[in-house]
Amino acid sequence: MAKEPAHAFAPMLKTFKTASGKSGKYWSLKELAKKFPNVDKLPVSIRIVLESVLRNCDGQKVTAEHVEQLANWAPNAERTEEIPFVVTRVVLQDFTGVPLLADLAAMRSVTAALGKSPKTIEPLVPVDLVVDHSVMVDHYGTPKALDLNMKLEFQRNNERYQFMKWGMQAFDTFGVVPPGFGIVHQVNLEYFARGVYKSANDKGDAPVYYPDSLVGTDSHTTMINGIGVVGWGVGGIEAEAAMLGQPVYFLTPDVVGFELTGKLREGVTATDLVLYVTSILRSEKVVGKFVEFFGPGAASIAVPDRATIGNMAPEYGATMGFFPVDEMTLAYFKGTGRTDAEVERFEAYYKAQGLFGMPAPGELNYTKVVRLDLGSVTPSLAGPKRPQDRIDLGDLSTRFAELYSKPIEANGFNLPAGTLKTRHPLPDDGGAAAEQDAAAPAPGAPRTAVEMVANRSTREAAHVGETAPKSPSGKVTIGNGDVLIAAITSCTNTSNPSVLLAAGLLAKKAVEAGLTVKPHVKTSLAPGSRIVTEYLEKAGLLPYLEKLGFYLAGYGCTTCIGNAGDLAPEINEAITKNNLVGAAVLSGNRNFEARIHPNLKANFLASPPLVVAYAIAGNVMVDLMTQPVGKGRKGQDVYLGDIWPSAREIDENLRYAMNAKAFRKNYDQIKDNPGKLWSSIKGTTGQVYDWPESTYIAEPPFFEGFKMEPQAADAGFTGARIMALFGDSITTDHISPAGSIKESSPAGIWLKANGVSKADFNSYGSRRGNHEVMMRGTFANVRIKNLMIPAAPDGSREEGGVTLFQPGGEKMPIYDAAMKYIGQDVPTIVFGGEEYGTGSSRDWAAKGTQLLGIKAVVARSFERIHRANLVGMGVLPLQFRGADSWESLGLAGDEKIDVVIGGELKPQMDVKLVVHRADGGQQEVAVRLRIDTPIEVDYYKHGGILPFVLRQLLAEA
């Protein structure tokens, strides 16, 4: 046998001891600093990445040069080198995890067809999938909501869950946390993360330990940064490569230091701080950069608050929002049930590495330093369409009124100012609800608003039906700014004890004051972990939330991912008939157009206590800083200050939130007691999936005609037609929706043709395992605006995924046009503005783009994950230079486009765009190729990252 080459940095392997005398080995960064003195001044996040590069230096995928380059990281150097980062583990949520599992299953099918062992395709690192995105808020405002919603979830998703069960038995390192335990990022914080790890194959007396690190198939994976773990969100296609032994490649990043000083004022929440940080950093343009928090203010912030800030990294655009490990991190590990041995090893390792403790100002080198005095933070919300658009609480009412009549380009709603306060009566006939209740199967059919009013007085301990806004005739009315959804939801805040206890305390004070929730408000509580309801119960606060309608609806992402469920039929009718701007207030991190509910145009992110307050106020035009929240029992005005909990009251209840025994008991049930519904799911067995007929799971087409040698192809193309012209901030929600499926859409038509009734459509997110649905859903968001369609006389723009097919200009759905262009062998191209692909790490936004035959996307700038995903699917991302844009080129949509690549494909080279106009004119412009690294060139040449990885694995088998 050939002898393994010596490690290039073998002398850096040292030994550390824990407080109880246990030994372990580690790759010493302090020792490396003797050779590269710069190491001691590197940001903590860079040093953790450097440890992985050092440890995995094998002379092939990771070379000594890689170690040297990163050890010599300079704060403001040109970023041309790529880092091969080998992660410790991978986490998945079910919306992204199911298509990833489908890709792995397809790779096994190809492998078996080529006569090789299916086990060639096997994750080489631990992979954990948490089912948290599938529960919908069909039932709410009732003690039975959780049980009813979970039963519906299992009915709808049986085929998906069977597929997951197959994956659990087929792959050795693939585990699933069943529905009902919590949100992936909270489970990651409370359970998966172990501080430091050792290889499963390392059986020595002093094994080699190394820091936790990961990538996850959800952009909010960055929540784990709050406990000092380096990790971020990637698309499923990148995660698959990481699972199968590929390093995660990325350009050496800038690191922005964020210095925090002072302390938060009374009445200010972690959510308010997060919205400040998001607004500041989005304006600092930190896309593709690490953000590392430091200073005395950062040291004073509780770990759940740090995690809340880390969670929002995708909203401020950074790769990470990182907090170093310190004493508060250790306390969090102890309080959440990690063993004494794990905590002891974690502390000893980080101290041995010189990575322990919050850095002081001036201690480390950063590319740039941004500062915030915590004392300057005020109560805030964000919206109505983007998470970075922070609004002071006292300005929301006037801001909403301004936006109501502002043009769309100014983030407004472009409606006549005179109609702002017009109200419309709802029908008082509850017959529609009776009809729906009788029309099985529709167990989750929404009740009418009037029925909700009638029932609230009789619901168990509900007390919630003071009076809704009424017209002179006495009918319930609805108007602009009405809060129609109030949801304590999402990973960002429903894992944070301080803000959840604040919501419970506010609810208690509100109920005691005699306040009630307006009947048109759909209320829900969807915690990030089962631990949350346990501490709310122990604190005696859950009954008060329930009395205001905030009954437990599920443990999952719910409203924030678009699983809010529907509104009452007559509310939907009133909104569409009268073009109303209804509002949602949610404790989430995403509020993009049509994400929360297709009929709600204004969506505001807020802390959980503010969600409760706005549910009581009933309309976002109530100024909670100066006007009453509502009327109390004796008709007296009750103000927000009267019911807002003090910091002392919150602190007194925090003792209920950290109970190590409770955490251990809860997570032991994943294996011991996963629930009857999950245990009853029976999946197929075997090493190769048999692909039964299903509208949920289908064999993906990405490996059709697979050959070991990639097909040589010219990266450029000629005669492309323009599929769409988009403005700024086109999100992955716009490109690949996650919410409801419209019956008249191409996806809805396909489902009906395949025997699926509208009641069983489920959501786009739940059907990501079937490419037939997803390619039809690409660019099908009901709020997307293709600016190729001429504006109406009043300047308004048509919404929905339509285009003009050329030549001739016939208007049709983008999917239909794509199929016609593919049938004619005509390539297509999409143009966008700034921040193209912002939002969720949604690989289907890139997969769908590729399946529609789109060869390139040309934009002013790209969000990090979506750019990488486009390359990973073999689609060219091209970026305008300087002030150039499709508008400056005067594109109308009837042009033909050539993409000319001169010579060999190289990272970030200049590419020529040739515009052929309908009148025979021609124009050329240089654009930047956003294939950023050499490995991405290889991915592109292979037709994408998956064929590249599959060829590597098969060549080694």
Side-chain angles (χ1 to χ4, degrees):
M1 273 178 70
K3 189 178 180 183
E4 281 193 23
H7 194 291
F9 296 92
M12 308 319 179
L13 187 62
K14 298 295 179 183
T15 300
F16 73 95
K17 281 192 181 294
T18 68
S20 61
K22 297 277 176 61
S23 295
K25 292 179 181 174
Y26 72 112
W27 288 94
S28 172
L29 296 173
K30 286 183 177 179
E31 199 66 27
L32 187 67
K34 293 177 182 176
K35 185 170 184 177
F36 304 107
N38 184 57
V39 168
D40 285 337
K41 298 285 282 182
L42 293 179
V44 176
S45 52
I46 291 290
R47 277 186 275 167
I48 292 174
V49 175
L50 176 59
E51 187 280 339
S52 170
V53 177
L54 171 64
R55 173 169 37 90
N56 290 288
C57 181
D58 59 2
Q60 297 171 353
K61 288 177 181 172
V62 184
T63 66
E65 187 182 12
H66 286 127
V67 176
E68 184 176 351
Q69 286 170 348
L70 191 55
N72 288 319
W73 179 90
N76 292 290
E78 187 180 359
R79 305 304 181 197
T80 58
E81 289 128 8
E82 64 180 6
I83 299 171
F85 181 37
V86 178
V87 295
T88 303
R89 57 193 178 90
V90 174
V91 294
L92 318 172
Q93 43 94 331
D94 52 309
F95 273 12
T96 47
V98 166
L100 181 150
L101 185 58
D103 287 342
L104 289 179
M107 292 168 88
R108 278 204 167 175
S109 295
V110 171
T111 304
L114 292 174
K116 306 235 177 176
S117 168
K119 295 292 280 183
T120 301
I121 310 301
E122 180 73 43
L124 301 178
V125 298
V127 180
D128 292 293
L129 184 154
V130 179
V131 186
D132 65 346
H133 277 53
S134 296
V135 64
M136 300 179 79
V137 186
D138 291 287
H139 294 273
Y140 61 99
T142 165
K144 297 179 180 177
L146 173 66
D147 185 51
L148 293 171
N149 287 332
M150 280 197 70
K151 283 178 178 172
L152 273 175
E153 175 189 350
F154 275 83
Q155 286 173 27
R156 289 171 174 150
N157 296 285
N158 184 60
E159 292 170 39
R160 297 171 70 236
Y161 296 168
Q162 286 179 336
F163 184 49
M164 290 179 201
K165 283 274 182 98
W166 169 80
M168 290 172 73
Q169 62 82 44
F171 297 101
D172 296 337
T173 55
F174 179 81
V176 176
V177 175
F181 277 88
I183 293 172
V184 57
H185 313 303
Q186 188 61 15
V187 177
N188 199 11
L189 277 171
E190 294 177 354
Y191 178 59
F192 292 153
R194 295 288 149 181
V196 291
Y197 287 74
K198 68 180 180 68
S199 168
N201 301 321
D202 195 335
K203 308 295 184 187
D205 292 335
V208 176
Y209 287 98
Y210 46 90
D212 188 7
S213 63
L214 68 143
V215 288
T217 59
D218 188 295
S219 45
H220 297 106
T221 299
T222 49
M223 194 163 189
I224 203 71
N225 302 158
I227 55 172
V229 175
V230 167
W232 55 83
V234 295
I237 45 186
E238 287 178 275
E240 284 171 69
M243 286 163 50
L244 296 171
Q246 289 292 303
V248 175
Y249 292 93
F250 62 103
L251 275 181
T252 304
D254 289 349
V255 182
V256 175
F258 201 125
E259 182 183 346
L260 295 174
T261 59
K263 61 180 291 187
L264 293 176
R265 292 183 290 171
E266 181 76 29
V268 175
T269 68
T271 314
D272 302 320
L273 171 58
V274 150
L275 296 180
Y276 258 77
V277 169
T278 300
S279 181
I280 291 166
L281 287 174
R282 183 53 84 166
S283 67
E284 290 286 345
K285 299 192 181 299
V286 294
V287 172
K289 301 176 184 179
F290 288 5
V291 172
E292 184 166 304
F293 294 87
F294 69 97
S300 72
I301 295 175
V303 167
D305 295 356
R306 298 177 186 183
T308 307
I309 294 169
N311 178 288
M312 291 289 275
E315 277 61 62
Y316 43 84
T319 302
M320 287 200 301
F322 181 84
F323 286 82
V325 170
D326 63 2
E327 294 289 353
M328 294 185 82
T329 320
L330 297 181
Y332 180 81
F333 265 59
K334 290 174 185 172
T336 49
R338 274 67 169 203
T339 66
D340 291 343
E342 285 175 320
V343 176
E344 183 182 271
R345 189 164 54 236
F346 184 26
E347 180 178 11
Y349 177 90
Y350 269 75
K351 286 182 173 177
Q353 282 285 32
L355 295 172
F356 190 85
M358 190 65 67
E363 192 176 325
L364 302 178
N365 294 330
Y366 295 108
T367 304
K368 180 180 184 178
V369 172
V370 179
R371 294 178 176 85
L372 175 64
D373 175 4
L374 297 177
S376 67
V377 176
T378 58
S380 307
L381 299 92
K385 301 177 184 179
R386 300 188 307 177
Q388 64 263 38
D389 294 331
R390 191 190 66 81
I391 303 170
D392 276 324
L393 177 59
D395 295 338
L396 179 61
S397 58
T398 53
R399 182 68 179 144
F400 179 84
E402 289 169 5
L403 291 173
Y404 182 76
S405 53
K406 279 200 170 185
I408 300 293
E409 307 82 72
N411 222 18
F413 300 105
N414 200 36
L415 293 167
T419 62
L420 173 64
K421 296 193 175 177
T422 305
R423 301 196 66 80
H424 305 272
L426 292 175
D428 55 6
D429 179 8
E435 283 177 28
Q436 286 195 355
D437 289 343
R447 290 162 290 185
T448 66
V450 175
E451 187 193 19
M452 286 296 290
V453 178
N455 286 353
R456 273 189 165 160
S457 60
T458 58
R459 277 207 316 269
E460 181 178 318
H463 294 265
V464 196
E466 178 215 72
T467 54
K470 292 186 178 179
S471 67
S473 65
K475 287 188 173 182
V476 176
T477 62
I478 187 172
N480 294 302
D482 275 357
V483 177
L484 300 175
I485 289 178
I488 300 175
T489 179
S490 129
C491 47
T492 316
N493 292 294
T494 61
S495 54
N496 189 317
S498 66
V499 290
L500 281 163
L501 288 165
L505 287 163
L506 186 141
K508 181 176 186 288
K509 290 170 180 274
V511 169
E512 289 171 347
L515 293 176
T516 60
V517 168
K518 300 295 186 289
H520 56 63
V521 185
K522 181 173 185 175
T523 48
S524 61
L525 171 64
S529 164
R530 296 202 297 205
I531 296 294
V532 172
T533 42
E534 184 160 327
Y535 65 67
L536 285 174
E537 284 174 340
K538 284 181 178 174
L541 299 176
L542 193 59
Y544 294 100
L545 284 163
E546 292 174 344
K547 286 175 182 178
L548 293 178
F550 288 93
Y551 282 89
L552 183 61
Y555 294 100
C557 210
T558 66
T559 303
C560 195
I561 191 60
N563 285 357
D566 208 354
L567 300 172
E570 74 275 19
I571 288 182
N572 279 327
E573 184 183 348
I575 293 171
T576 53
K577 182 180 176 183
N578 301 293
N579 200 15
L580 295 177
V581 181
V585 182
L586 65 149
S587 65
N589 45 39
R590 292 274 160 83
N591 56 347
F592 303 131
E593 292 179 291
R595 181 185 180 99
I596 307 306
H597 187 281
N599 288 339
L600 296 189
K601 296 179 181 178
N603 302 291
F604 295 97
L605 307 181
S607 65
L610 279 181
V611 170
V612 178
Y614 273 104
I616 296 166
N619 191 292
V620 296
M621 288 187 284
V622 176
D623 181 359
L624 294 187
M625 296 298 279
T626 61
Q627 294 176 285
V629 182
K631 297 279 188 186
R633 279 204 177 84
K634 296 179 181 177
Q636 81 278 17
D637 288 338
V638 180
Y639 291 85
L640 186 62
D642 300 330
I643 58 174
W644 195 264
S646 67
R648 181 181 57 78
E649 289 172 310
I650 294 168
D651 288 344
E652 285 173 355
N653 284 279
L654 279 173
R655 68 182 187 276
Y656 298 115
M658 284 291 167
N659 183 327
K661 284 185 179 177
F663 279 92
R664 282 195 287 269
K665 181 181 177 184
N666 177 55
Y667 287 113
D668 283 348
Q669 292 185 63
I670 291 172
K671 288 182 180 176
D672 300 340
N673 183 26
K676 290 180 181 177
L677 290 171
W678 182 255
S679 299
S680 68
I681 298 286
K682 304 299 178 194
T684 185
T685 57
Q687 294 303 306
V688 180
Y689 195 60
D690 56 4
W691 303 107
E693 197 70 30
S694 168
T695 57
Y696 278 97
I697 309 294
E699 185 169 8
F702 307 120
F703 303 102
E704 285 178 1
F706 177 86
K707 292 182 174 57
M708 282 301 290
E709 288 299 318
Q711 184 178 349
D714 187 351
F717 52 87
T718 60
R721 286 294 186 179
I722 300 174
M723 185 67 80
L725 300 171
F726 293 127
D728 295 340
S729 298
I730 290 296
T731 70
T732 49
D733 280 45
H734 286 120
I735 303 166
S736 181
S740 58
I741 301 171
K742 199 173 178 180
E743 198 168 3
S744 59
S745 69
I749 292 167
W750 184 86
L751 285 169
K752 286 176 74 175
N754 281 271
V756 180
S757 67
K758 174 68 172 78
D760 295 324
F761 275 8
N762 212 331
S763 65
Y764 278 114
S766 67
R767 292 192 178 272
R768 284 188 193 161
N770 190 308
H771 60 279
E772 296 288 359
V773 174
M774 296 311 296
M775 63 193 288
R776 286 167 171 81
T778 304
F779 298 112
N781 185 296
V782 296
R783 293 281 172 262
I784 199 168
K785 300 174 191 73
N786 185 351
L787 302 181
M788 184 192 300
I789 313 297
D794 65 355
S796 63
R797 291 284 186 172
E798 181 173 349
E799 295 179 325
V802 292
T803 189
L804 301 179
F805 183 82
Q806 304 293 348
E810 181 187 353
K811 188 164 71 175
M812 63 180 67
I814 284 176
Y815 170 78
D816 294 345
M819 294 304 103
K820 287 187 74 170
Y821 284 129
I822 289 172
Q824 296 174 8
D825 203 24
V826 174
T828 50
I829 190 167
V830 164
F831 287 88
E834 297 278 4
E835 298 177 355
Y836 185 88
T838 188
S840 302
S841 58
R842 195 160 295 164
D843 50 332
W844 262 111
K847 286 179 173 179
T849 298
Q850 186 239 50
L851 290 178
L852 293 184
I854 294 163
K855 302 298 182 188
V857 177
V858 191
R860 294 265 303 143
S861 65
F862 290 91
E863 199 77 345
R864 174 184 62 86
I865 298 174
H866 186 59
R867 183 210 62 80
N869 282 347
L870 287 171
V871 177
M873 290 310 301
V875 178
L876 288 173
L878 303 172
Q879 188 165 327
F880 285 113
R881 299 170 55 183
D884 289 345
S885 65
W886 65 261
E887 292 96 334
S888 70
L889 287 174
L891 298 182
D894 58 354
E895 300 84 357
K896 288 185 177 181
I897 308 291
D898 300 341
V899 172
V900 181
I901 296 177
E904 188 180 345
L905 202 66
K906 293 179 181 176
Q908 298 208 352
M909 67 188 294
D910 281 350
V911 169
K912 188 162 60 176
L913 213 64
V914 184
V915 179
H916 301 275
R917 303 191 185 279
D919 62 6
Q922 185 173 309
Q923 186 176 358
E924 295 182 3
V925 64
V927 293
R928 177 65 47 86
L929 175 66
R930 286 302 311 278
I931 293 180
D932 286 354
T933 64
I935 192 68
E936 287 189 338
V937 172
D938 289 338
Y939 293 160
Y940 183 81
K941 286 180 176 177
H942 279 257
I945 191 171
L946 299 183
F948 173 86
V949 173
L950 182 55
R951 289 184 180 108
Q952 280 208 331
L953 292 171
L954 291 175
E956 295 166 3

